[in-house]
Amino acid sequence: TQLLEQSPQFLSIQEGENLTVYCNSSSVFSSLQWYRQEPGEGPVLLVTVVTGGEVKKLKRLTFQFGDARKDSSLHITAAQPGDTGLYLCAGARQAGTALIFGKGTTLSVSS
Amino acid sequence: GAVVSQHPSWVICKSGTSVKIECRSLDFQATTMFWYRQFPKQSLMLMATSNEGSKATYEQGVEKDKFLINHASLTLSTLTVTSAHPEDSSFYICSARTGDYGYTFGSGTRLTVV
């Protein structure tokens, strides 16, 4: 059983479109993080959310942590080819414990 | 910021041999290190958690005698894949805890067993 259900697994869109990636769980997380990973490299942190209901924006990316701290979403506005990559959500059940990763979303943005 | 240096970046070894992967924290002390494995087109799977000076805690299904983890100092943790076989070929990534909500990842090691 996957502790963090991430969807969709694959997403192929045109430049300029908007998209949302979801990360859901039946468990409560102390914190949730979103990463982007390029092939052959380690994941790079995009954002950390720790407070239920928290919303963070990073340019065209908007991250939200659910009120109950069981789910999160990543919304990208006006996607660009440079956004192409693997996006991963990861949560820690307790502060400082290991991150558990979702299965990832492979995003492809074509011009 | 906190940096974890992981070496080697890639390694090819013969079946039956052992390979050691090192992760060093360059400008901070890593009391806790996490080791992950990632197969192609898949996400990161936690293998084990190691605390400096203690035995590592392995996730269910991970053979502790095959994947030896040593965390003898606050700046160095190693993962040794013993008697490697082709099915051990994977991308191995370490991650150091840098705070209650902070984690720093190494750049990963691509292991190919032939």
Side-chain angles (χ1 to χ4, degrees):
Chain A
T1 302
Q2 187 77 15
L3 191 61
L4 269 174
E5 297 288 345
Q6 187 174 343
S7 63
Q9 196 169 350
F10 300 97
L11 193 54
S12 182
I13 61 174
Q14 294 288 318
E15 182 177 4
E17 292 185 29
N18 302 330
L19 67 113
T20 302
V21 179
Y22 300 93
C23 196
N24 297 302
S25 177
S26 58
S27 301
V28 175
F29 287 90
S30 171
S31 67
L32 214 143
Q33 306 193 339
W34 286 90
Y35 292 86
R36 178 174 166 177
Q37 185 183 26
E38 299 299 329
E41 299 179 10
V44 175
L45 178 67
L46 295 174
V47 78
T48 299
V49 286
V50 299
T51 305
E54 185 175 5
V55 177
K56 284 191 174 180
K57 291 191 175 183
L58 183 65
K59 296 184 180 179
R60 294 178 293 103
L61 278 60
T62 302
F63 306 86
Q64 187 166 7
F65 200 13
D67 291 340
R69 291 189 287 129
K70 293 182 178 181
D71 55 86
S72 181
S73 64
L74 156 62
H75 182 79
I76 299 179
T77 303
Q80 300 176 358
D83 295 327
T84 294
L86 176 65
Y87 290 83
L88 298 160
C89 67
R93 295 293 307 279
Q94 296 179 357
T97 59
L99 287 174
I100 305 301
F101 282 80
K103 287 189 174 182
T105 296
T106 299
L107 171 65
S108 175
V109 182
S110 54
S111 56
Chain B
V3 175
V4 171
S5 176
Q6 184 171 348
H7 293 280
S9 298
W10 58 270
V11 57
I12 301 174
C13 71
K14 290 185 176 181
S15 187
T17 62
S18 296
V19 173
K20 180 184 285 188
I21 300 170
E22 293 188 349
C23 279
R24 293 181 182 274
S25 56
L26 298 186
D27 48 4
F28 68 103
Q29 294 181 330
T31 56
T32 304
M33 192 75 78
F34 307 102
W35 287 92
Y36 294 86
R37 179 168 53 182
Q38 185 176 29
F39 292 108
K41 305 294 185 182
Q42 295 187 22
S43 187
L44 282 74
M45 295 296 294
L46 180 68
M47 298 176 66
T49 299
S50 73
N51 292 298
E52 185 267 337
S54 303
K55 288 185 177 180
T57 302
Y58 291 82
E59 295 299 299
Q60 190 173 7
V62 178
E63 301 174 58
K64 62 180 181 180
D65 293 331
K66 182 171 186 60
F67 299 99
L68 300 179
I69 292 173
N70 184 288
H71 195 167
S73 80
L74 288 171
T75 58
L76 175 64
S77 178
T78 62
L79 166 65
T80 301
V81 183
T82 63
S83 186
H85 291 286
E87 56 266 31
D88 298 323
S89 298
S90 188
F91 193 57
Y92 292 87
I93 307 174
C94 62
S95 172
R97 172 190 167 186
T98 58
D100 281 347
Y101 307 114
Y103 303 83
T104 297
F105 285 82
S107 54
T109 297
R110 170 72 59 196
L111 170 63
T112 302
V113 185
V114 298

